[in-house]
Amino acid sequence: MDTIPYGLLTLQKQPVPLKDISVSVHVKGILADVTATLLYKNELQDPLEAVFVFPMDDEAAVYNFEALIDGKTITAEIKEKDIARQVYDDAISSGQQAFLLEEDVMSDVFSCTVGNLPPEKEAAVSISYVIQLSLEADQALRFVLPAVLNPRYTPADCPSKSVIGNIPRDNADDLTYMLHLSLKVEGAQEIQSIKSNCELTDIVYNANMKTSAQISLKEGHKFDRDVEILIYYRDPCLPYALVEKGKPEAAEGTIMSEPMVMLNMYPEMGSGEENTHQDFIFVVDRSGSMQSNVSRASQQSRIATAKDTLVLLLKSLRVGCLFNIYGFGNSFTSFFKSSVEYNQESMDSALEKLKNFEADLGGTEILKPLKDIFSKSVKTGYHRQVFLLTDGEVNNTANVIEEVKNHATTHRFFTLGIGEGASTSLIKGMAKASHGKYEFITGKDRMQKKVLKCLKLAYQPSATNISLEWKVPSAVEPLVVPRVPEVVFHQQRTVIYAQLKELENSDTEETQAVLKYSCGEKKYQCVLDFTLTAEDSDSQSIHYMAAKAIIKDGEGTSEGVVPKDDIDRITKISIESNVISPYTAYTAVHKDSKEPVRGPMVQQIIPLYNSTLFCGSPGENLREYNLDCSTRQYLREYNLDLKKVEETKQIPVRGKSSSKKKKGGCFPIKLPKLGSFRVSKKAESKKVKEDHQDDTKELEDEGLTETKILKEEAIIESKIQKEECQIEPKADKEKSQKGSKKGKEKSQTDSKKVKEKCLIAEPTNKEDQVMTLIGLQKADGSWIVDEVLAEIFNSTTQEILTSLPCEEAEPAVWSTLLSLIWLHTYGAKIKSDWELLASKAVSWLNTNAAGVDFGELIIVGNNFLKTEVKQSTLGL
């Protein structure tokens, strides 16, 4: 039996030419200016064309591309995409070294091509871009250098034109290129700390006030994960304005010629105002990739985290609203035929259905459930809020965003990208098209915290009549680009760019920007005072971000819907600003080489880190991918049945099996790496290895089809996972002393039944106990006395009932108050998880405990639980 070659090889089994990646990041305020330098070396005997495909944030403004060859820097020119490609092709044909940088059909993917690199020669290319840093739930500014570019599912009716499908994949140990990253942070505020998911050097402050700092990645970092850096300022939500000079050499009347201001505002609305007439639709990705862990640091799968989050969401809804839950993959399911009223019965029904929620629906067909949701009318007087939880791996992003945009007047989306590699184009695009919000869950992020943050925003009344007024010198003409915001949220950052025409001819006196908006019948305004004095700097970061905003605003979604006039306008802005767009590309030609490069040119596609290496493990990924040229090459080289694989969308694993239970195995196709063969960590266990050690012939001899085997594996894996998740509760010594053995067994049985009904696992720490307590809450916001509640309080039901200090209070009032006291004491670290459901409990108490002295109850409750919580803390 032939063995599959191992190592970092290309289609032609040749060494990879990318040797090093060096990144410099300069953060100023909320903007990061990034320059990434890629070093290539041709170690072949023939001229080389190297292609490196890499992810980038959907909103990044790429403004410069240059190459360094033989000590000479060649700055690329930005041209219309077809012209740029022709320039590149002509240069290659004439034997000249040439370079090409272009945006993929998905705007969060780029490809960099180095052509005609002579044997044994090196070339470095540098890419510069600006990105706006996101503000996290814990008030950190988040910078991400994306490394993970997951293969994206392509529906059968949407042929892929993306470059992603041709990328070979590698294990982290096989990546020969290293990443070096340095970060400089500057601003007017004190920097409190800088954290990362990767190892950093010690932070070095450049001033006593700690307003400037430098830090780097530790040496030896392989580019096998997204690099996430969190910057904590003393006051991250401080409004400010920054004025930037125009570019002196820019043509008059262009976007780069005039000064530009960036307004950083945080609108306020009336606190406590909630619109409970909402129709909540929770749409959860149940494709195979959701079985993967959220991150390397997390031991929980994406689907398990999503299920926990759905429990929190269900508990945080208000009586009287409507809801439904969808799961989607190749097909989709919904808990109810249409949205149902939220009450105890519907909540219990949803929790019961949620028990069977697994990542078992194959591919990622987002459009199907969306169209079903859009086809159902919204109840009069209600607003529909759609929450999408997905790892964002689709190839028809444009079609999805277009569909969302068409229904934006009746459906607002809150999108959450789960795990590394989630498409920023999809997650951000859907939220922005519907005037919603987006979040990304990576690293050690708590999904619950970010989802519930979105739920709070969904309850807020929508702001209307948004306008921006200026108080500026008479000669100055502010021009907002591309437009005044169409949506603002309470205490959420709003960034506005505006050209300041004729500023040079005016006094730089104090000026004012006033953002006005209405919320219901109330009117609000956010005032920002600033000076028109421009910073003494050559930076054009604000201009580049403004140009990118105009480009994104003018882009179409589905192919063919962008009018030619809009394409021409975007192309004009792109060329004027030097910011790349879907219709432009950078090209550079080394015209000074003494003689043309001769010989046949070999193309190499640089492998990326394979974030999801697959084996036939069930529940891992039963997704169907179109066969790309890389996969076809793989099959031909190792004599695998191309026709059969095209029919089944599964790649057989070659090898001998020692398993009598089943012979052989298969890989659901997920862009296998050419020239090497690896399986996931899950497959490294002896049991799973034995399940995938035979060839297709032996499989057929046994009369077992690959589908049957995968189905059998799914059942086995499901049982294994359930066994692994079961944790025996610790014996409670105090409790055993108080009751008989028989009574204790009955108590544990009752407790287990309650937990199973509420979809909660055995708690192993305080955080788990918080989740258990949340699972016990009723739809109306109350808690009742039962065995599980007693376990959490380290007590018994009898002791809870007998400790009730006054006859006026019902047992449910007492248990609800105790639950709130306990949460504020032991759940303080994850308060964001239960804040909404706690406010629901407070509302229930105020309604159902009229005439009760809460002050007296709280004193007794603190004594009972041995806590110290004030009445004001509870909000009673």
Side-chain angles (χ1 to χ4, degrees):
M1 184 73 66
D2 293 337
T3 58
I4 299 177
Y6 173 83
L8 184 61
L9 305 176
T10 64
L11 303 183
Q12 294 78 22
K13 306 178 186 177
Q14 297 160 332
V16 172
L18 181 60
K19 297 302 177 185
D20 190 77
I21 302 176
S22 179
V23 179
S24 170
V25 185
H26 184 189
V27 174
K28 194 165 189 178
I30 64 170
L31 298 183
D33 198 326
V34 184
T35 296
T37 302
L38 314 176
L39 178 64
Y40 295 86
K41 183 176 181 180
N42 182 5
E43 297 177 340
L44 306 179
Q45 301 302 312
D46 296 308
L48 172 71
E49 180 180 61
V51 182
F52 183 53
V53 179
F54 56 96
M56 186 173 289
D57 192 284
D58 179 61
E59 296 178 330
V62 179
Y63 67 86
N64 190 54
F65 179 52
E66 59 186 30
L68 179 65
I69 307 172
D70 297 330
K72 181 178 180 179
T73 300
I74 305 169
T75 302
E77 295 181 20
I78 192 166
K79 301 177 181 293
E80 291 183 37
K81 185 171 282 187
D82 289 341
I83 296 175
R85 288 172 174 171
Q86 188 61 52
V87 170
Y88 175 84
D89 291 340
D90 291 346
I92 295 299
S93 299
S94 62
Q96 294 176 309
Q97 295 176 55
F99 307 84
L100 182 69
L101 178 70
E102 55 187 330
E103 188 177 297
D104 189 35
V105 292
M106 288 175 289
S107 57
D108 58 351
V109 179
F110 282 73
S111 62
C112 173
T113 307
V114 177
N116 267 342
L117 184 61
E120 299 303 321
K121 286 287 186 178
E122 289 187 350
V125 296
S126 292
I127 303 163
S128 298
Y129 65 92
V130 182
I131 183 66
Q132 181 179 300
L133 304 183
S134 62
L135 185 64
E136 296 295 280
D138 64 354
Q139 304 303 306
L141 284 179
R142 178 174 178 258
F143 168 77
V144 177
L145 183 69
V148 177
L149 180 56
N150 292 331
R152 298 179 182 176
Y153 177 81
T154 303
D157 58 353
C158 179
S160 173
K161 294 183 180 179
S162 172
V163 297
I164 293 178
N166 298 323
I167 307 173
R169 302 279 164 167
D170 255 310
N171 184 285
D173 295 336
D174 299 329
L175 294 177
T176 59
Y177 48 89
M178 309 294 286
L179 172 67
H180 310 276
L181 183 145
S182 62
L183 172 74
K184 182 179 182 181
V185 184
E186 287 184 320
Q189 290 195 57
E190 179 182 328
I191 303 162
Q192 292 191 318
S193 64
I194 300 176
K195 301 177 181 179
S196 177
N197 62 331
C198 304
E199 287 192 271
L200 298 174
T201 60
D202 293 334
I203 187 171
V204 177
Y205 291 102
N206 297 342
N208 293 331
M209 295 297 291
K210 294 187 176 181
T211 57
S212 180
Q214 291 181 314
I215 202 165
S216 301
L217 280 183
K218 285 191 174 181
E219 290 298 315
H221 181 84
K222 290 196 172 182
F223 206 12
D224 61 345
R225 72 191 71 179
D226 290 353
V227 177
E228 181 182 62
I229 298 177
L230 301 176
I231 303 167
Y232 293 85
Y233 288 115
R234 176 174 290 278
D235 187 1
C237 297
L238 185 69
Y240 72 91
L242 194 61
V243 179
E244 187 176 81
K245 297 177 182 178
K247 200 172 185 178
E249 61 271 25
E252 187 175 348
T254 64
I255 189 173
M256 301 299 292
S257 64
E258 304 283 357
M260 187 80 68
V261 63
M262 178 181 69
L263 306 178
N264 190 28
M265 311 176 84
Y266 294 85
E268 294 276 352
M269 299 180 196
S271 59
E273 292 188 18
E274 288 186 353
N275 181 2
T276 56
H277 283 71
Q278 308 284 1
D279 180 1
F280 290 104
I281 309 291
F282 304 112
V283 185
V284 182
D285 189 342
R286 289 178 58 184
S287 64
S289 58
M290 288 290 287
Q291 189 63 37
S292 304
N293 287 352
V294 174
S295 69
R296 294 170 183 77
S298 172
Q299 298 302 312
Q300 192 175 39
S301 69
R302 298 172 185 177
I303 191 65
T305 306
K307 288 170 69 173
D308 286 348
T309 303
L310 282 174
V311 173
L312 284 175
L313 285 167
L314 287 171
K315 295 293 181 177
S316 301
L317 296 182
R318 297 299 179 98
V319 172
C321 72
L322 308 175
F323 81 101
N324 201 353
I325 297 175
Y326 280 72
F328 71 92
N330 280 334
S331 58
F332 70 89
T333 61
S334 63
F335 282 13
F336 311 103
K337 289 183 178 180
S338 59
S339 297
V340 296
E341 184 176 349
Y342 177 74
N343 52 38
Q344 190 63 44
E345 182 182 357
S346 60
M347 186 188 77
D348 287 343
S349 175
L351 288 173
E352 183 65 29
K353 294 173 187 291
L354 196 56
K355 292 178 182 179
N356 299 319
F357 225 54
E358 300 297 339
D360 55 2
L361 292 184
T364 314
E365 294 270 11
I366 293 181
L367 267 179
K368 291 179 180 179
L370 292 186
K371 289 181 177 180
D372 187 72
I373 292 168
F374 295 147
S375 70
K376 296 173 181 177
S377 59
V378 182
K379 185 176 179 179
T380 303
Y382 281 72
H383 300 88
R384 183 165 287 170
Q385 316 280 3
V386 184
F387 281 67
L388 174 67
L389 286 72
T390 178
D391 56 13
E393 299 176 13
V394 299
N395 225 0
N396 60 338
T397 298
N399 305 84
V400 174
I401 295 175
E402 178 73 7
E403 194 71 24
V404 169
K405 190 174 184 179
N406 290 339
H407 295 85
T409 56
T410 54
H411 296 71
R412 182 166 62 171
F413 277 75
F414 294 86
T415 53
L416 293 108
I418 306 170
E420 295 179 330
S423 168
T424 60
S425 180
L426 177 74
I427 301 303
K428 290 186 176 184
M430 292 179 68
K432 290 189 174 185
S434 61
H435 310 310
K437 292 287 284 184
Y438 61 84
E439 293 284 352
F440 290 92
I441 293 91
T442 59
K444 295 181 180 179
D445 293 349
R446 288 184 57 81
M447 185 188 295
Q448 293 90 339
K449 186 175 185 178
K450 294 193 173 184
V451 173
L452 292 171
K453 172 187 172 183
C454 288
L455 185 59
K456 291 178 187 177
L457 297 177
Y459 274 125
Q460 292 178 13
S462 299
T464 57
N465 303 319
I466 303 171
S467 63
L468 184 66
E469 296 182 1
W470 301 84
K471 293 181 181 179
V472 296
S474 57
V476 177
E477 182 185 350
L479 177 63
V480 176
V481 293
R483 67 181 74 240
V484 174
E486 296 179 335
V487 60
V488 295
F489 291 97
H490 177 60
Q491 294 182 339
Q492 298 297 301
R493 184 174 69 195
T494 299
V495 178
I496 302 172
Y497 299 99
Q499 279 185 298
L500 299 173
K501 295 188 175 183
E502 303 299 329
L503 178 60
E504 288 81 357
N505 302 323
S506 306
D507 296 328
T508 56
E509 59 189 66
E510 289 287 330
T511 189
Q512 193 177 78
V514 184
L515 185 67
K516 295 186 174 183
Y517 46 96
S518 302
C519 194
E521 296 182 356
K522 295 184 179 180
K523 295 183 178 181
Y524 299 91
Q525 64 180 28
C526 180
V527 180
L528 180 59
D529 295 305
F530 62 99
T531 177
L532 289 173
T533 304
E535 283 207 334
D536 186 17
S537 170
D538 294 331
S539 171
Q540 298 292 309
S541 297
I542 295 176
H543 284 77
Y544 295 138
M545 288 302 298
K548 182 66 175 183
I550 296 173
I551 290 169
K552 293 295 295 180
D553 184 68
E555 287 178 11
T557 46
S558 298
E559 293 183 24
V561 301
V562 185
K564 186 179 184 304
D565 289 347
D566 289 350
I567 293 176
D568 292 342
R569 185 172 64 87
I570 293 172
T571 302
K572 181 175 179 291
I573 291 291
S574 176
I575 292 175
E576 286 179 358
S577 62
N578 216 50
V579 173
I580 202 167
S581 77
Y583 313 114
T584 54
Y586 288 105
T587 185
V589 179
H590 185 27
K591 299 177 181 179
D592 295 339
S593 53
K594 296 179 181 178
E595 58 182 64
V597 179
R598 302 184 185 280
M601 186 174 66
V602 177
Q603 185 187 64
Q604 294 185 351
I605 301 176
I606 311 300
L608 294 180
Y609 169 64
N610 193 354
S611 59
T612 47
L613 290 163
F614 292 111
C615 66
S617 256
E620 183 92 20
N621 236 324
L622 306 183
R623 304 161 60 146
E624 297 178 357
Y625 280 88
N626 294 337
L627 289 176
D628 52 73
C629 62
S630 301
T631 306
R632 293 174 184 274
Q633 176 76 11
Y634 173 91
L635 296 170
R636 290 192 192 101
E637 288 189 14
Y638 303 110
N639 300 316
L640 299 177
D641 189 340
L642 178 59
K643 183 177 180 182
K644 183 170 184 178
V645 170
E646 286 180 317
E647 291 173 353
T648 64
K649 297 295 189 292
Q650 294 171 349
I651 300 179
V653 178
R654 313 289 293 183
K656 293 292 182 183
S657 173
S658 57
S659 171
K660 296 180 180 178
K661 198 163 194 177
K662 60 177 184 277
K663 295 178 180 265
C666 56
F667 282 108
I669 293 178
K670 181 132 181 185
L671 304 179
K673 182 190 68 175
L674 301 180
S676 64
F677 171 71
R678 286 294 182 94
V679 295
S680 65
K681 288 184 179 179
K682 186 180 286 187
E684 290 175 4
S685 67
K686 182 178 179 181
K687 176 177 177 56
V688 180
K689 278 185 178 179
E690 290 176 351
D691 289 345
H692 306 286
Q693 296 285 312
D694 207 353
D695 59 19
T696 311
K697 181 70 173 64
E698 291 175 328
L699 200 159
E700 291 172 346
D701 290 343
E702 289 290 317
L704 296 173
T705 65
E706 292 158 355
T707 303
K708 286 181 180 178
I709 288 179
L710 286 172
K711 193 170 183 180
E712 179 189 356
E713 287 176 336
I715 296 170
I716 295 171
E717 179 74 8
S718 177
K719 290 180 180 178
I720 292 172
Q721 288 178 350
K722 287 179 180 177
E723 290 172 2
E724 290 174 347
C725 291
Q726 288 177 348
I727 302 173
E728 291 294 325
K730 294 180 180 179
D732 190 328
K733 293 182 181 180
E734 293 182 9
K735 190 172 181 182
S736 64
Q737 292 172 356
K738 294 175 183 176
S740 66
K741 182 177 180 181
K742 182 177 180 181
K744 187 173 76 172
E745 287 175 352
K746 182 182 184 302
S747 173
Q748 289 177 341
T749 301
D750 292 342
S751 172
K752 185 176 180 181
K753 288 180 179 178
V754 173
K755 288 174 183 174
E756 288 176 350
K757 182 178 180 181
C758 295
L759 200 68
I760 47 183
E762 294 287 356
T764 58
N765 53 44
K766 287 299 181 186
E767 194 166 302
D768 288 341
Q769 285 186 318
V770 170
M771 293 301 298
T772 302
L773 186 60
I774 289 171
L776 294 173
Q777 190 187 37
K778 299 299 180 182
D780 59 9
S782 66
W783 277 270
I784 61 172
V785 180
D786 61 24
E787 295 294 337
V788 183
L789 192 71
E791 279 186 27
I792 294 172
F793 295 163
N794 197 26
S795 181
T796 65
T797 56
Q798 187 62 32
E799 287 176 344
I800 293 175
L801 293 172
T802 56
S803 65
L804 182 60
C806 60
E807 295 181 358
E808 293 85 0
E810 296 290 333
V813 171
W814 181 227
S815 56
T816 300
L817 184 63
L818 288 176
S819 297
L820 285 175
I821 294 172
W822 191 95
L823 280 173
H824 278 277
T825 302
Y826 299 108
K829 289 184 178 180
I830 54 173
K831 185 178 179 180
S832 58
D833 283 14
W834 50 264
E835 198 170 14
L836 283 175
L837 59 91
S839 67
K840 183 167 68 169
V842 170
S843 297
W844 183 87
L845 285 172
N846 287 329
T847 302
N848 293 273
V852 173
D853 184 357
F854 285 122
E856 180 187 352
L857 286 182
I858 291 170
I859 291 172
V860 178
N862 278 322
N863 290 333
F864 181 78
L865 294 173
K866 297 180 176 56
T867 55
E868 297 179 358
V869 177
K870 297 180 180 179
Q871 183 172 347
S872 58
T873 301
L874 297 178
L876 290 168

